[in-house]
């Protein structure tokens, strides 16, 4: 990711950040075959309204067309598609009553549900945003047809993109039906190789985060595979069980590698090369070949070489182990796994009516209601422009507010100019379909920057409304976008709705509690105990820390970050990440005979971490009963736990502020 110089304030630098991502050519081809051809079919058959609605559905589905397996694609596209259809049904039903001020409270209610759902995870957050957008468009766009027919047309457009995703794909690697899951697990080995190569260098921390993200994606892909099989009552096959074993070997190898990474010393190139051989073996179906020679210079290196040997055994196996088959006979309940597969987290405070959900919901609802009221005052015929624009700006989990408004206005202006230029150069009734096709092809590439994504969406939306009869919509869109940006900036920075303590603090608190659970398990587990639970707790801690870091980075780049009244969330998260790394390194060393701390020492560290989570969760507790000044002295004969104590002191410096 390209970043502006550090001297520039974060809120001002963020609009210029550009993600460096590979070009998803298969998704580009799917985008070109979606909105444009569907709109063109409506024009050619003399039924523009169905073409507009199916094109709109395919555009919304294209926003969620991201890299991943077929099953993750079905979840990430399918759930928002159902929400889009529901939104169109509600909006079109509202339109049958006629435009009026009663639309404002109706959109307030839908906006609250949409915003509050953001706390449940990214997939359901996208679903809520698209439900709100289609509700606004359905209530305001003057298209003929019954509400149920409009909803079905939107769903048809989404299903068309899903069908294309199954047909138009990147070249399938070796692996047959499991090719996507194999690729996801192979990416874990690649990321591990990169992290080992970066050990001891300036890019080590970023490489470790990439490894964590790769583990999350592979875990999601395999969970969805298992969930699909259970829903269809299909028994897992040999190859699926073997792949699950190899992912478990990758997880164990990553855990052992953390101890090496914690030592922060550069490693020989042959050490980093071994995981890459496993990645190549997954992609090609060939044996991994020669691995690095073992050595036992340190406990961390010995643990790594043992995990490397276990991984080689897992790759050499042609039949699943009996323990793997037994695990499949006692699966996690389908309902719970479905919740996790849809991006949900069963944590306190993350519900629809929890503190964060209420704040999210109120922020979105007030912005949408204010935008709709202003739009009705300005122009009752095209009032839907303004609240529809606000819908894509106000969601607090999608990025800093100032950055999104700046990029939204710049992207809208550029899209309007390009559309106007195309209208001057092209003739006939078919040219909007060509512009919509170009926007659809640009959309997968445009995920690297919000302004570019806005250009693509603006081109497609202007094409839809032009075919729908609003020939002068381009100029209105610039005016309405400007007003929507102003409303969102004002409402989004109201003290009650913009307080990051609820939005960020609850995620940081959840991450600290997950860290404390992992640390406690490491220190209290019996010698020689099964490591399955430990690895699950470590993955949960890293996942919670990843969510907390994303929220903290967004809050740090806000225009009004309120740093004088809130902790430095990024510092707290970074310290917690180092605690998890240190605890992992400690676990590896304990497995190899290192000194085990006493029960009193273990309880002292865990109690201190829990107290800091309590202090961050409740501001009154921080003020009335600050973090105890308990002794966080180094732990004798255990260097990594001494590091844990040092990081706890670091966190206490922020958690204990008034």
């Amino acid at each position: 990711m390209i970043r502006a110089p550090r001297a520039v304030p974060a809120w001002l630098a963020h609009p210029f950040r550009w993600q460096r991502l590979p070009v998803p050519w298969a998704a580009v081809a799917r985008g070109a075959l979606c909105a444009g051809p569907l709109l063109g079919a409506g024009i050619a058959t003399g039924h523009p309204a169905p073409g507009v609605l199916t094109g709109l559905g395919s555009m919304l589905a294209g926003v969620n067309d991201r890299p991943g397996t077929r099953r993750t694609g079905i979840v990430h596209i399918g759930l928002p598609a159902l929400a889009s259809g529901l939104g169109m049904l509600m909006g079109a039903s509202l339109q049958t009553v006629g435009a009026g001020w009663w639309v404002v409270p109706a959109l307030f209610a839908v906006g609250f549900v949409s915003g509050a759902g953001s706390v449940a995870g990214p997939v359901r957050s996208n679903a809520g945003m698209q439900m709100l957008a289609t509700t606004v468009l359905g209530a305001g766009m003057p298209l003929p047809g019954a509400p149920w027919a409009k909803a079905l047309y939107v769903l048809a457009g989404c299903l068309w993109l899903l069908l294309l995703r199954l047909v138009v794909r990147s070249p399938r690697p070796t692996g047959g039906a499991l090719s996507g899951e194999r690729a996801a697990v192979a990416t874990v080995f690649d990321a591990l190789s990169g992290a080992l190569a970066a050990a001891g260098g300036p890019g080590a921390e970023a490489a470790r985060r990439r490894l964590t993200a790769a583990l999350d994606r592979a875990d999601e892909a395999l969970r969805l595979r298992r969930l699909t099989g259970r829903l269809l009552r299909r028994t897992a096959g040999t190859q699926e069980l073997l792949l699950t074993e190899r992912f478990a070997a990758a997880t164990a190898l990553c855990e052992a590698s953390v101890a090496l990474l914690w030592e922060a010393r550069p490693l020989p190139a042959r050490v980093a090369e071994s995981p890459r051989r496993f990645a190549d073996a997954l992609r090609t179906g060939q044996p991994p070949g020669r691995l690095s020679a073992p050595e036992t210079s340190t406990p961390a290196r010995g643990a790594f070489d043992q995990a490397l040997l276990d991984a080689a055994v897992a790759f050499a196996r042609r039949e699943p182990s009996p323990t793997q088959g037994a695990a499949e006979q006692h699966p996690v309940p389908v309902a719970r796994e479905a919740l996790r597969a849809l991006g949900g987290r069963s944590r306190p405070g993350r519900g629809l009516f929890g503190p964060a959900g209420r704040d999210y919901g109120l922020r979105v609802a007030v912005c949408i209601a204010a935008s709709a009221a202003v739009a009705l005052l300005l122009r009752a015929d095209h009032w839907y422009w303004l609240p529809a624009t606000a819908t894509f700006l106000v969601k607090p989990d999608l990025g800093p507010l100032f950055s999104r408004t700046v990029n939204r206005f710049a992207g809208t202006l550029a899209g309007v100019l390009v559309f106007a230029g195309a209208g001057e150069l092209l003739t006939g009734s078919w040219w909007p379909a060509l512009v919509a096709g170009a926007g659809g092809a640009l959309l997968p590439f445009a995920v690297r920057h919000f302004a570019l994504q806005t250009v693509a969406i603006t081109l497609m939306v202007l094409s839809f409304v032009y075919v729908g009869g609003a020939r002068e919509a381009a100029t209105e869109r610039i005016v309405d976008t400007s007003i929507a940006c102003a409303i969102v900036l004002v409402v989004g920075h109201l003290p009650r709705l913009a307080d990051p303590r609820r939005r960020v603090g609850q995620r940081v608190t959840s991450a600290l509690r997950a860290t404390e659970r992992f640390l406690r398990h490491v220190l209290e587990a019996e010698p020689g105990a099964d490591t399955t639970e430990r690895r699950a707790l470590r993955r949960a801690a890293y996942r919670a820390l990843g969510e907390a870091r994303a929220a903290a980075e967004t809050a740090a780049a806000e225009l009004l970050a309120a740093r004088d009244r809130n902790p430095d969330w990024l510092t707290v998260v970074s310290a917690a990440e180092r605690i998890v790394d240190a605890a992992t390194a400690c676990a590896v060393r304990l497995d190899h005979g290192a000194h085990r701390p006493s029960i009193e020492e273990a309880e002292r560290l865990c109690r201190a971490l829990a107290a800091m989570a309590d202090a961050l969760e409740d501001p009154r507790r921080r003020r009335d009963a600050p973090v105890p000044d308990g002794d966080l002295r180094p732990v004798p004969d255990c260097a990594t736990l001494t590091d844990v104590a040092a990081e706890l002191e670091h966190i206490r410096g922020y958690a204990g502020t008034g």
Side-chain angles (χ1 to χ4, degrees), residues 262 578-579 582 589 634-635 638-648:
W262 183 254
R578 290 191 290 270
I579 288 175
R589 292 173 179 176
V635 179
C638 192
T640 55
L641 289 188
T642 296
D643 293 329
V644 169
E647 297 301 336
L648 285 171

Side-chain angles (χ1 to χ4, degrees), residues 138-430:
M141 289 185 71
L143 295 175
W148 62 267
K150 293 181 179 181
L152 288 179
Y153 282 131
V154 170
L155 283 175
C158 298
L159 291 175
W160 173 245
L161 182 108
L162 270 176
L163 177 62
L164 288 176
R165 187 178 174 97
L166 299 177
V167 176
V168 182
R169 295 184 292 169
S170 301
R172 172 179 282 190
T174 302
L178 286 168
S179 59
E181 288 79 6
R182 286 182 185 275
V185 177
T187 303
V188 173
F189 285 107
D190 282 334
L192 175 58
S193 178
L196 293 171
E205 191 172 352
R208 183 191 58 75
R209 293 195 188 111
R210 288 193 292 271
L211 174 59
T212 298
L215 281 165
D216 284 342
R217 288 191 294 269
D219 182 50
E220 179 189 36
L222 291 176
R223 278 193 289 108
L224 284 172
R225 176 86 188 186
R226 291 195 301 268
L227 174 62
T228 303
R230 291 167 193 169
L231 291 175
L232 299 177
R233 301 186 180 278
R234 176 182 57 81
T235 304
T238 298
Q239 293 302 314
E240 184 175 346
L241 293 175
L242 286 174
L243 182 60
T244 302
E245 285 189 20
R246 290 168 183 177
F247 177 63
T251 304
L253 188 59
C254 289
E255 181 182 70
S257 300
V258 169
L260 282 178
L261 299 175
W262 183 254
E263 294 176 350
R265 291 199 298 264
L267 298 170
R270 64 180 183 277
V271 175
E273 181 62 24
S274 295
R276 203 174 300 280
R277 292 181 181 273
F278 289 125
D280 294 339
L282 279 168
R283 293 189 176 99
T284 63
Q286 302 298 318
R290 186 184 299 273
L291 303 175
S292 61
E295 68 172 71
T296 57
S297 55
T298 65
R301 183 60 195 273
F304 174 81
D305 288 325
Q306 181 60 52
L308 200 65
L309 177 61
D310 293 341
V313 171
F315 273 76
R317 191 177 291 124
R318 292 292 174 262
E319 293 292 334
S321 65
T323 56
Q324 181 63 38
E328 287 295 315
Q329 300 302 318
H330 302 282
V332 176
V334 173
R336 188 191 309 169
E337 190 149 345
L339 174 67
R340 296 180 61 200
L342 295 178
R345 302 282 185 267
S346 54
R347 299 178 192 154
R350 297 291 288 271
L352 189 67
F353 298 105
R358 290 196 303 268
D359 282 3
Y360 272 50
L362 282 174
R363 179 173 172 176
V364 176
V366 172
C367 280
I368 296 303
S371 300
V374 171
L376 287 170
L377 285 173
L378 292 177
R379 55 178 75 90
D381 50 349
H382 292 160
W383 65 268
Y384 59 92
W385 280 118
L386 220 158
T389 300
T391 298
F392 294 100
L393 286 176
V394 68
K395 289 298 287 297
D397 59 314
L398 297 180
L401 200 57
F402 178 79
S403 176
R404 288 178 67 80
T405 53
V406 169
N407 285 319
R408 184 73 183 186
F409 180 80
T412 300
L413 181 60
V416 167
L417 292 176
V418 171
F419 186 83
E424 292 293 330
L425 294 175
L426 303 175
T427 59
S429 61
W430 52 270

